[in-house]
Amino acid sequence: MHNLVTSAINQIIDDLRNRQSNDGSWRFCFETGTLTDAYTIILLRSLEQPDSEWLIERLTARILSKQEANGAWNLFTDQNDGHLSSTAESFFALLYSGHVKPDAPHMKRARKFIKARGGLAKTGPFTRAMLALNGQISWPKLFNVPIETILLPRTSLISIYDIVGYSRVHLVAVLTSANMKYSRQNTRTPNLRDLLTERKTENEWENDQSRSILTIIQNEVSKLIDTPKRLRKTAFEQAEQHMLKRIEPDGLYYSYITSTFFMIYAFLALGYKKDHPVIQNAVNGIKNQVCLTTSHSHIEFATSTVWDTALISHALQQSGVPASDPLIKTANAYLLSRQHTLYGDWSFNNPNTVPGGWGFSDINTFLPDVDDTTAALRAIKRTVREHTMYRPVWSRGADWILSMQNKDGGWGAFEKDTDKKRITLVPFPEAGRVLIDPSTADLTGRALEFLSKDANLLSPHPAIDRAVNWLEQNQETDGSWYGRWGVCYIYGTWAALTGLDAAGFSQNRPSVKKAVDWLTSIQNEDGGWGESCVSDTRNTYMPLGSSTLSQTAWAVDALTATHKKPADAVRRGVNYLVSNLNRNDWTTTYPTGAALPGDFYIYYHSYNYIWPLLALSNFRNKFDS
């Protein structure tokens, strides 16, 4: 097996060496559903942008390639019933593109699907906001939140700052437009009025819990001291500044395509002309997000450059590539250039810590997160050890990670202690996982692994002990852990087990043994592992029915970490990886990254390299060296 494993590792190393960019980074495509492609077409047509036809044509081709036989668009292969919001967005974009015939059979099937699922009124909140902005529906009552809410201080019973930043920036932009009842149309705008199957749009604020939150908001706003007219003017001005202060150098608002899309409409609502430099820079930023999938152009929701580069650098070093190799030297030079020095929204609940984190995207200067920071620190560890000038970089990063630990002992992704349960009563789908940033098993497990293995903090240490306690208190009854940012229970269990192992807890620990037994029990006959995205909304493990490379690698890595000898399950998993590295079918493009439960999943083009390389290297280093 040693020769097979080594051959597979060398193959991946060679592939990665050939794919590295001149600046040392790796720029793999961050591929999602059709949302970003659809929104880009809609925006470019709405603004009547010149010189964009080439892009619209290419994005139209990708959207068409993703349509299912029943007329719908799915987010993942086994989503058999289709996704209504994606279908409505894609359908509207195709009509707006001008490159399809409205009465074509595939368009008729899409229209029929939308009607059968309840029409436009049943789409998700932000899909309805997009439709309202383009004059297709009236503004949803969900967004009947006074813009003055943005003026409420963080000490109020409820504040917009109780919502995590990535959701907050979307809401500020949408509420700006909604409070002005803004929409825009031109001669090319399609008309979807026949897809409004309900005479009245639903009011999500009608249940008792939601009404109580709206009442609290209205009461808190009434306490603000100023005349109503001046108060409203001040609120719009603050919303404008909130958006302007969060624009990155590439023109994108918070580094995301959808938030940038809504920001542009918000500025138009505020009176900006469509040729205003801020709007044009934002549009150019969106155009620059084009990546190439296996066969089509696609607008990346965000670039994953820092994430991919950090993980690849670490995996390569685990495989035996020395830090002195140009492959690692240039990668780590890139990572060192991307450490943050600015205070961002993370500092609201963590004001006494010096910036030192890393973000996810290439052009990201003030939105660090725990996952990217631990990944970057792992990658530069040997470089820092060899070059003392970089020790302040390490110290700032490690201190930032420690400072971001929540009161409950776990870690969230972007902000500290952003977990007020009251805000989850806002009538948004999956509000508990979308509007707040609570501790999660994947973030806590990897932070624990970094602090124990790389920062040499060992139990007894308050941060380590609290993290271990959080993990054990939040283990599922079957022994697994739910992973928030990957699919899903395999992902969370891998992160938790590798974290607990790094902290010194062996398979004799009841929580570890239970997790190992669960992970072994769900292994497929072919030796691999595979989990469906459906797990994310069912809140329980749902088998995919086939194995994937990334999920198999997570399971192999977890079992390698927790066994003293290579168990049969580990060997079978390793055999699956080395035998399927060159596989090319739907399982190799199945999305195993997650963002919004039920609504947003990611196929990381890098994952079929990163995780098999890491798992095989760790296996060889421990058992087969």
Side-chain angles (χ1 to χ4, degrees):
M1 180 169 277
H2 173 81
N3 290 340
L4 290 174
V5 170
T6 297
S7 177
I9 289 172
N10 289 339
Q11 176 188 324
I12 300 173
I13 293 173
D14 288 343
D15 285 345
L16 290 172
R17 196 178 291 275
N18 292 330
R19 287 175 173 269
Q20 190 177 31
S21 299
N22 291 335
D23 67 354
S25 68
W26 279 270
R27 296 175 182 271
F28 283 93
C29 189
F30 179 88
E31 186 173 356
T32 57
T34 57
L35 178 141
T36 52
D37 302 328
Y39 276 36
T40 300
I41 291 172
I42 293 162
L43 180 67
L44 294 176
R45 283 291 187 238
S46 178
L47 296 179
E48 299 173 292
Q49 280 282 305
D51 304 322
S52 297
E53 206 60 41
W54 66 274
L55 181 56
I56 291 172
E57 287 181 9
R58 293 180 184 182
L59 299 180
T60 297
R62 180 175 186 265
I63 293 173
L64 286 170
S65 75
K66 295 290 183 180
Q67 189 175 20
E68 300 295 326
N70 67 345
W73 277 263
N74 294 342
L75 298 178
F76 45 88
T77 307
D78 54 327
Q79 189 177 37
N80 298 322
D81 54 349
H83 191 264
L84 177 58
S85 291
S86 293
T87 302
E89 292 159 353
S90 299
F91 180 73
F92 183 51
L94 288 177
L95 289 174
Y96 220 159
S97 75
H99 294 291
V100 299
K101 294 180 179 179
D103 58 350
H106 67 95
M107 296 296 281
K108 288 181 178 179
R109 289 194 295 271
R111 188 182 294 274
K112 182 179 178 182
F113 177 88
I114 295 170
K115 283 187 175 181
R117 296 302 188 277
L120 301 181
K122 293 293 185 181
T123 57
F126 288 109
T127 302
R128 281 180 282 150
M130 178 276 290
L131 292 168
L133 285 166
N134 287 276
Q136 302 305 302
I137 63 174
S138 300
W139 269 99
K141 294 178 181 177
L142 174 61
F143 297 109
N144 282 353
V145 176
I147 191 63
E148 291 83 354
T149 304
I150 198 172
L151 299 177
L152 295 178
R154 294 177 61 244
T155 54
S156 297
L157 287 175
I158 194 166
S159 163
I160 198 163
Y161 294 98
D162 294 333
I163 297 171
V164 66
Y166 61 80
S167 292
R168 180 170 60 247
V169 293
H170 285 80
L171 286 170
V172 169
V174 171
L175 289 179
T176 299
S177 298
N179 273 257
M180 291 186 168
K181 303 298 182 191
Y182 178 78
S183 68
R184 61 183 291 119
Q185 293 175 278
N186 57 44
T187 57
R188 301 186 72 157
T189 307
N191 188 339
L192 303 187
R193 289 284 172 174
D194 64 309
L195 294 177
L196 279 171
T197 55
E198 296 182 357
R199 291 185 179 180
K200 292 183 178 180
T201 57
E202 291 184 0
N203 185 356
E204 287 98 333
W205 295 103
E206 286 181 346
N207 71 71
D208 291 341
Q209 289 183 327
S210 296
R211 269 204 307 266
S212 69
I213 288 294
L214 189 56
T215 300
I216 290 173
I217 292 172
Q218 292 166 338
N219 288 341
E220 291 295 305
V221 168
S222 69
K223 296 177 185 177
L224 297 172
I225 303 173
D226 209 337
T227 62
K229 188 175 181 179
R230 286 185 48 146
L231 202 61
R232 194 161 182 81
K233 182 175 182 293
T234 302
F236 280 122
E237 289 172 350
Q238 186 151 323
E240 180 183 11
Q241 289 302 310
H242 184 280
M243 291 182 284
L244 288 170
K245 290 176 181 178
R246 287 162 177 79
I247 297 175
E248 289 283 12
D250 59 0
L252 298 182
Y253 176 40
Y254 229 60
S255 294
Y256 304 141
I257 292 299
T258 50
S259 55
T260 305
F261 173 92
F262 288 117
M263 177 197 73
I264 290 170
Y265 280 94
F267 283 146
L268 291 168
L270 289 169
Y272 285 52
K273 301 298 183 183
K274 64 182 182 181
D275 59 353
H276 190 284
V278 170
I279 290 179
Q280 286 306 306
N281 289 340
V283 171
N284 290 333
I286 292 174
K287 289 180 178 180
N288 288 334
Q289 293 290 105
V290 176
C291 72
L292 186 66
T293 67
T294 52
S295 55
H296 291 98
S297 295
H298 172 53
I299 298 293
E300 293 180 285
F301 179 84
T303 58
S304 55
T305 320
V306 173
W307 177 241
D308 289 336
T309 303
L311 293 174
I312 290 170
S313 175
H314 171 63
L316 286 168
Q317 291 175 78
Q318 288 298 101
S319 75
V321 179
S324 58
D325 189 298
L327 191 66
I328 305 302
K329 287 178 69 175
T330 54
N332 287 358
Y334 170 82
L335 291 173
L336 288 164
S337 74
R338 291 305 191 270
Q339 188 179 32
H340 289 193
T341 59
L342 301 177
Y343 287 89
D345 289 359
W346 61 269
S347 63
F348 289 143
N349 292 340
N350 190 10
N352 299 318
T353 299
V354 174
W358 276 262
F360 182 77
S361 298
D362 183 34
I363 308 299
N364 184 325
T365 62
F366 54 79
L367 180 59
D369 65 88
V370 170
D371 239 359
D372 280 282
T373 302
T374 58
L377 288 169
R378 282 192 195 94
I380 66 171
K381 178 181 176 181
R382 292 181 176 89
T383 300
V384 169
R385 189 183 297 157
E386 294 174 8
H387 301 280
T388 56
M389 69 177 108
Y390 294 129
R391 286 182 182 172
V393 170
W394 176 274
S395 297
R396 281 173 46 219
D399 288 346
W400 190 83
I401 289 294
L402 274 172
S403 76
M404 291 294 287
Q405 188 172 26
N406 290 330
K407 292 177 182 176
D408 62 12
W411 276 266
F414 295 96
E415 296 176 29
K416 181 178 180 178
D417 295 323
T418 309
D419 57 359
K420 289 185 180 179
K421 296 291 187 258
R422 182 187 295 126
I423 206 69
T424 65
L425 301 179
V426 171
F428 264 78
E430 297 287 352
R433 290 189 279 181
V434 173
L435 298 183
I436 58 175
D437 190 18
S439 298
T440 65
D442 44 335
L443 273 299
T444 303
R446 276 203 294 280
L448 177 61
E449 183 193 24
F450 165 75
L451 291 172
S452 299
K453 182 180 289 186
D454 300 298
N456 299 318
L457 297 185
L458 300 175
S459 183
H461 184 283
I464 301 300
D465 295 342
R466 290 170 59 223
V468 170
N469 289 338
W470 187 92
L471 283 171
E472 295 195 324
Q473 290 170 9
N474 287 274
Q475 188 174 22
E476 303 290 330
T477 55
D478 62 6
S480 67
W481 279 272
Y482 169 76
R484 168 67 176 82
W485 299 96
V487 180
C488 248
Y489 290 91
I490 294 175
Y491 188 69
T493 303
W494 158 67
L497 282 176
T498 51
L500 289 169
D501 174 75
F505 297 100
S506 69
Q507 196 174 345
N508 295 327
R509 185 91 168 186
S511 58
V512 174
K513 184 179 186 306
K514 193 174 183 181
V516 167
D517 289 345
W518 175 81
L519 202 51
T520 304
S521 74
I522 63 166
Q523 187 173 23
N524 293 331
E525 289 186 9
D526 62 7
W529 279 260
E531 181 177 0
S532 171
C533 294
V534 175
S535 295
D536 210 20
T537 50
R538 298 276 183 89
N539 296 317
T540 187
Y541 168 75
M542 297 296 293
L544 180 60
S546 296
S547 300
T548 70
L549 285 169
S550 55
Q551 291 169 328
T552 299
W554 296 332
V556 167
D557 199 41
L559 294 177
T560 295
T562 52
H563 283 78
K564 293 182 179 179
K565 296 180 180 180
D568 179 63
V570 178
R571 290 193 177 279
R572 291 174 58 218
V574 167
N575 187 62
Y576 178 88
L577 290 175
V578 299
S579 301
N580 288 276
L581 274 186
N582 298 317
R583 188 170 180 172
N584 184 22
D585 60 14
W586 70 270
T587 66
T588 55
T589 59
Y590 189 82
T592 57
L596 297 179
D599 287 310
F600 197 94
Y601 298 95
I602 306 136
Y603 162 43
Y604 287 92
H605 285 226
S606 61
Y607 273 19
N608 291 338
Y609 298 91
I610 293 169
W611 304 120
L613 177 60
L614 185 65
L616 292 173
S617 299
N618 287 341
F619 171 83
R620 186 179 66 175
N621 294 344
K622 186 170 184 177
F623 299 130
D624 203 26
S625 57

